[in-house]
């Protein structure tokens, strides 16, 4: 990606190195067991808000605000890159909203280490990056980029940018009122149908990430040879079918919450090639 001279976003909150939350059950002073944390992670994987599990506990911030461990130059460069990607999404979505007669409210981004608090509950690095509509912030532990490279074999800066752009895509859904409508609809559905709806929500966020890439490259020529393949590789690597096969050795389509590898790559490519929000209506699509 051609990002050398790009500005950084002013909407980044750097919590790296801060001591993570400690947990107390029911205000009685007992610590949450590892089983509760694992249950929260499983809930997140299957599209359930982990705060449903973790809200049974009160969260207390450890008193030590900073870690004494110095940050590496490589990590600081990743933080700078993430900030530049966020800035580029701001520069892209602002004009798109303005052209439609609206106003784009820029999301925040929280960089953290291990665990942190959000308005949606406690975020853990193991959950991967996530967007919280309650505070309109993207949460990112930079170690996920190492996992993307090493575990998912999806290296490259545009692969990393795709991950951030996907979460910003959820912010766009929130601003457009899509998130609220879908959340209300889920409450009237069976678990199977709610999962299917969640897939359409996630695939639209993939498509919105592609829309960002389309406009960013058209106006600022950010893409270099191989960048598109990097992002498509990342989209494919985190498809539900591949993750389920890795974790449990079998694929259960009815439990998909984000979409298969083929679906994720298809909708990201759709947004990237078309650059039109109307092309991202996954809810009207007969086939995903």
């Amino acid at each position: 990606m051609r990002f050398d001279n790009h500005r950084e976003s002013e909407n980044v909150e750097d919590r790296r190195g801060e001591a993570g939350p400690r947990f107390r059950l029911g205000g009685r002073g007992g610590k949450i067991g590892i089983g509760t944390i694992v249950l929260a992670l499983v809930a997140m994987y299957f599209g359930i808000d982990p705060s449903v599990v973790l809200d049974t506990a009160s969260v207390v911030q450890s008193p030590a605000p900073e870690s004494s461990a110095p940050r590496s130059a490589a990590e600081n460069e990743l933080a700078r890159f993430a900030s530049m990607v966020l800035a580029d999404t701001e520069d892209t979505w602002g004009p798109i909203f303005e052209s439609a007669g609206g106003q784009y409210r820029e999301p925040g981004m929280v960089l953290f280490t291990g665990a942190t608090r959000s308005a949606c509950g406690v975020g853990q690095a193991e959950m991967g990056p996530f967007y919280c509509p309650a505070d309109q912030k993207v949460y990112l532990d930079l170690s996920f980029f190492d996992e993307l490279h090493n575990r998912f074999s999806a290296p490259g800066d545009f692969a990393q940018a795709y991950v951030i752009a996907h979460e910003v895509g959820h912010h766009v859904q929130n601003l457009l009122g899509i998130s609220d409508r879908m959340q209300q609809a889920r409450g009237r559905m069976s678990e199977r149908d709610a999962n299917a709806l969640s897939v359409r929500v996630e695939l639209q966020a993939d498509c919105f990430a592609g829309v960002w890439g389309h406009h960013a490259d058209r106006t600022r020529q950010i893409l270099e040879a191989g960048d598109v393949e990097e992002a498509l590789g990342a989209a494919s690597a985190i498809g539900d079918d591949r993750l389920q096969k890795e974790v449990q050795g079998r694929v259960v389509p009815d439990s998909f919450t984000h979409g298969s590898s083929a679906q994720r790559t298809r909708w990201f490519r759709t947004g990237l090639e078309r650059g039109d929000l109307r092309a991202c209506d996954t809810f009207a699509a007969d086939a995903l």
Side-chain angles (χ1 to χ4, degrees):
M1 293 180 66
R2 300 184 183 95
F3 253 15
D4 291 342
N5 297 318
H6 202 288
R7 71 177 182 89
E8 295 184 48
S9 173
E10 297 178 356
N11 297 308
V12 177
E13 180 183 350
D14 194 346
R15 299 182 191 171
R16 291 178 298 153
E18 290 186 4
R22 293 175 294 130
F23 306 97
R24 293 180 182 173
L25 279 176
R28 298 176 182 272
K31 292 183 178 180
I32 286 181
I34 188 65
T36 304
I37 296 176
V38 170
L39 183 59
L41 298 180
V42 172
M44 170 63 83
Y45 179 79
F46 286 103
I48 302 169
D49 186 349
S51 64
V52 172
V53 177
L54 294 176
D55 278 351
T56 59
S58 60
V59 182
V60 180
Q61 188 71 29
S62 295
E66 296 289 341
S67 168
S68 59
R71 298 167 184 168
S72 69
E75 182 186 344
N76 284 334
E77 186 60 28
L78 272 180
R80 178 172 174 267
F81 174 77
S83 180
M84 288 191 294
V85 172
L86 184 64
D88 201 89
T89 65
E90 296 163 358
D91 295 343
T92 298
W93 285 111
I96 291 176
F97 270 64
E98 288 174 9
S99 67
Q103 183 176 6
Y104 182 65
R105 295 196 302 273
E106 298 172 353
M109 174 184 284
V110 176
L111 302 179
F112 70 96
T113 304
T116 195
R117 289 185 291 182
S118 80
C120 296
V122 178
Q124 301 268 343
E126 292 87 348
M127 297 173 180
F130 66 96
Y131 170 72
C132 175
D135 57 21
Q136 298 189 7
K137 294 179 180 179
V138 173
Y139 289 80
L140 172 65
D141 185 314
L142 294 171
S143 65
F144 179 78
F145 291 150
D146 291 331
E147 187 175 15
L148 195 64
H149 183 288
N150 298 322
R151 175 185 171 189
F152 298 117
S153 300
D157 52 6
F158 198 54
Q160 297 166 350
Y162 152 74
V163 170
I164 296 172
H166 171 91
E167 300 306 331
V168 173
H170 285 307
H171 178 64
V172 172
Q173 290 174 318
N174 190 29
L175 296 182
L176 295 176
I178 296 170
S179 301
D180 285 343
R181 293 197 298 272
M182 295 306 105
Q183 188 62 34
Q184 291 170 8
R186 281 194 187 100
R188 303 188 296 270
M189 293 179 172
S190 66
E191 181 179 355
R192 176 179 177 178
D193 289 342
N195 286 343
L197 182 62
S198 178
V199 167
R200 292 179 184 268
V201 170
E202 295 295 334
L203 294 180
Q204 186 178 62
D206 280 330
C207 190
F208 285 172
V211 169
W212 159 73
H214 173 96
H215 288 276
D217 188 53
R218 189 181 67 177
T219 58
R220 293 178 290 281
Q221 295 77 50
I222 67 169
L223 295 183
E224 299 177 302
D227 280 346
V228 172
E229 289 73 21
E230 290 175 2
L232 291 173
S236 176
I238 55 179
D240 281 330
D241 50 345
R242 287 187 60 172
L243 291 176
Q244 286 187 355
K245 190 70 177 294
E246 176 186 328
V247 172
Q248 61 194 31
R250 61 191 180 94
V251 176
V252 185
D254 285 349
S255 68
F256 285 2
T257 59
H258 287 65
S260 68
S261 295
Q263 290 169 338
R264 300 200 69 168
T265 55
R266 175 195 167 191
W267 283 100
F268 174 75
R269 187 186 290 276
T270 295
L272 189 64
E273 293 177 351
R274 300 278 295 276
D276 188 344
L277 290 180
R278 293 170 295 183
C280 296
D281 190 356
T282 55
F283 307 103
D286 293 330
L288 296 175

